[in-house]
Amino acid sequence: VAAARTPLTTLVVGEGGSGGALAPAAPGNTWATPDSYFSVIAPELAAAILKRPASEVEPTADALRIRPQDLVELGVVRGVVGPGGA
């Protein structure tokens, strides 16, 4: 993707929770749907690694800042598209 000679756009739909999900993302032109997340690890796995109970998955997701609105704020995605997005 980084070596492509044509413009690329990435749209994150659903769960993008691994390095494999991050690798093909178009730098500077990645968008997300309102119900997606984008991270190097799924919140369930992060909670398990941190030995947190299942009830702590949502607070773990909050700490990871993986929701579309977080990703826009962090500059990881350009914006949120689709119903409820821009």
Side-chain angles (χ1 to χ4, degrees):
V1 171
R5 295 178 182 249
T6 57
L8 297 172
T9 299
T10 301
L11 177 61
V12 179
V13 178
E15 300 177 5
S18 71
L22 300 175
N29 205 20
T30 297
W31 300 79
T33 58
D35 58 348
S36 66
Y37 77 79
F38 197 41
S39 175
V40 296
I41 190 167
E44 295 84 0
L45 295 174
I49 288 170
L50 296 170
K51 300 185 187 297
R52 295 179 176 173
S55 61
E56 291 294 311
V57 170
E58 191 170 329
T60 302
D62 290 338
L64 291 171
R65 300 195 64 199
I66 60 175
R67 294 183 178 95
Q69 60 273 23
D70 299 327
L71 298 172
V72 171
E73 186 178 305
L74 292 168
V76 175
V77 301
R78 290 184 71 177
V80 180
V81 298

